[in-house]
Amino acid sequence: MAKVNLTLVTEFLLIAFTEHPEWGLPLFHLFLFIYLFTLLGNSGMIVLIRMDRRLHTPMYYLLSHLSFMDICYSSVTVPQTMAVLLEHGAALSYARCVAQFFLFTFFGSIDCYLLALMAYDRYVAVCQPLLYVTIMTQKALLSFVAGAYIAGLLSALVRTISAFTLSFCGNNEIDFIFCDLPPLLKLTCGESYIQELVIIVFAIFVIPACMVVIVVSYLFIIVAILRIPSAGGRAKTFSTCASHLTAVSLFFGTLIFMYLRDNSGQASEKDRVVSVFYTTVIPMLNPLIYSLRNKEVKEALKNFLNRVKTF
């Protein structure tokens, strides 16, 4: 029988896109532009929501937390990706890989919960407008957001502990842009059934559970919109949900592709492109989605720019 290399891994090598060294510098500049735009766009959204009293509503309060999470979420992965592109590969210690995995899961899980809370907010606003003020109180909002952060922390702890009690041996190359679960599972050796089962079961309580809340909320919203007699009224009501629905479709569509499917075999070019999309592009797009398709945000931005001109 052939001998198997059981040397334990003490560091990981990120080698995504290194097979095309000529792509390194152009992609580095592209990622740098996207990252700076992400920081500027999401920071600007938070500032607008804080400064304009018309945006002091539950929906925008949740949106400010989503923008903050997008900044954190992107900052965990994009700088590391730029280092990989600039240096044509990067070594990551075991501890740094664990930290990156934990933080990525923490911020990503909170993103999921916040999007679900925003769907519930839209459901209350459209289906129970007379009770909206009494249901979405400041105390309730603080409880919802605190619950999202606590649930995100628990999700990250369980997923990280389960993933890194696995044994990694032999090959330590990760053909990906950061330490994520699908490429890490390809490096495992020995029995990993229990850990993988825990990861899968717990994933069901994050992505699908949030999706159930979102889908059920929008089913009630669609029914309520169809009951509105005028076409103008239906369009106006749906427009209040369009931005959130767009953000949800982009975010959960890519997550489903990455995590709720068979991850056996080698990482493909498609996997890397999708990972770039949900870690890099979506955090950049969210401020655009919520500003270009939202009358209140556009007016707040216009007022802010007018104030700046007067100084």
Side-chain angles (χ1 to χ4, degrees):
M1 293 180 65
K3 292 183 179 180
V4 179
N5 182 6
L6 295 178
T7 305
L8 292 178
V9 171
T10 57
E11 69 173 11
F12 298 94
L13 297 176
L14 300 177
I15 60 168
F17 303 116
T18 55
E19 69 272 24
H20 303 289
E22 69 279 5
W23 293 5
L25 200 56
L27 283 178
F28 172 83
H29 288 112
L30 176 62
F31 274 80
L32 179 61
F33 170 78
I34 291 173
Y35 182 56
L36 293 176
F37 194 92
T38 300
L39 295 180
L40 180 63
N42 285 288
S43 300
M45 183 65 72
I46 294 170
V47 171
L48 278 181
I49 292 169
R50 298 289 185 216
M51 289 183 63
D52 197 301
R53 294 185 63 84
R54 289 173 299 178
L55 302 183
H56 292 180
T57 64
M59 181 65 177
Y60 292 111
Y61 177 76
L62 294 172
L63 178 57
S64 67
H65 281 274
L66 184 69
S67 294
F68 177 64
M69 283 302 106
D70 281 342
I71 291 172
C72 298
Y73 182 70
S74 182
S75 297
V76 170
T77 57
V78 179
Q80 181 65 66
T81 303
M82 290 192 294
V84 172
L85 292 168
L86 199 60
E87 300 168 13
H88 305 296
L92 216 62
S93 69
Y94 191 90
R96 281 185 63 191
C97 187
V98 173
Q100 186 181 59
F101 185 91
F102 171 81
L103 290 172
F104 173 77
T105 304
F106 177 55
F107 297 131
S109 299
I110 295 172
D111 250 18
C112 291
Y113 296 128
L114 287 173
L115 287 169
L117 286 173
M118 291 168 79
Y120 175 72
D121 172 83
R122 291 299 83 202
Y123 156 74
V124 178
V126 174
C127 301
Q128 302 184 49
L130 298 178
L131 298 176
Y132 185 77
V133 177
T134 57
I135 293 174
M136 301 301 290
T137 62
Q138 187 174 8
K139 185 178 179 180
L141 274 175
L142 290 172
S143 300
F144 288 152
V145 172
Y149 278 72
I150 292 168
L153 178 62
L154 292 174
S155 301
L157 283 172
V158 171
R159 195 166 180 257
T160 303
I161 291 169
S162 300
F164 287 91
T165 51
L166 296 168
S167 297
F168 303 101
C169 51
N171 183 26
N172 67 340
E173 293 183 346
I174 298 178
D175 191 9
F176 217 62
I177 62 173
F178 66 102
C179 284
D180 198 14
L181 185 61
L184 282 173
L185 289 177
K186 297 178 176 68
L187 305 182
T188 59
C189 56
E191 183 58 50
S192 62
Y193 174 77
I194 294 175
Q195 290 95 328
E196 290 188 35
L197 184 62
V198 170
I199 292 168
I200 292 168
V201 169
F202 210 79
I204 292 171
F205 289 96
V206 180
I207 301 174
C210 290
M211 286 184 64
V212 167
V213 173
I214 292 166
V215 169
V216 171
S217 296
Y218 273 102
L219 284 175
F220 279 108
I221 288 170
I222 290 169
V223 171
I225 289 174
L226 292 176
R227 288 175 179 169
I228 298 173
S230 67
R234 288 195 295 269
K236 184 178 179 181
T237 305
F238 181 76
S239 68
T240 64
C241 307
S243 298
H244 178 255
L245 198 55
T246 304
V248 163
S249 301
L250 289 172
F251 187 73
F252 281 97
T254 52
L255 288 187
I256 290 169
F257 179 86
M258 287 302 302
Y259 299 115
L260 299 183
R261 65 186 180 93
D262 180 22
N263 286 306
S264 60
Q266 297 298 312
S268 66
E269 197 79 24
K270 188 185 295 183
D271 291 336
R272 292 195 291 269
V273 170
V274 171
S275 70
V276 166
F277 192 75
Y278 74 85
T279 59
T280 309
V281 178
I282 289 178
M284 178 194 70
L285 290 178
N286 278 342
L288 292 175
I289 291 169
Y290 284 100
S291 59
L292 296 178
R293 305 194 63 174
N294 193 297
K295 184 179 178 181
E296 290 90 351
V297 174
K298 285 192 285 189
E299 288 180 356
L301 180 59
K302 191 181 296 183
N303 290 339
F304 176 77
L305 293 174
N306 288 334
R307 286 182 196 173
V308 172
K309 288 179 183 178
T310 58
F311 285 109

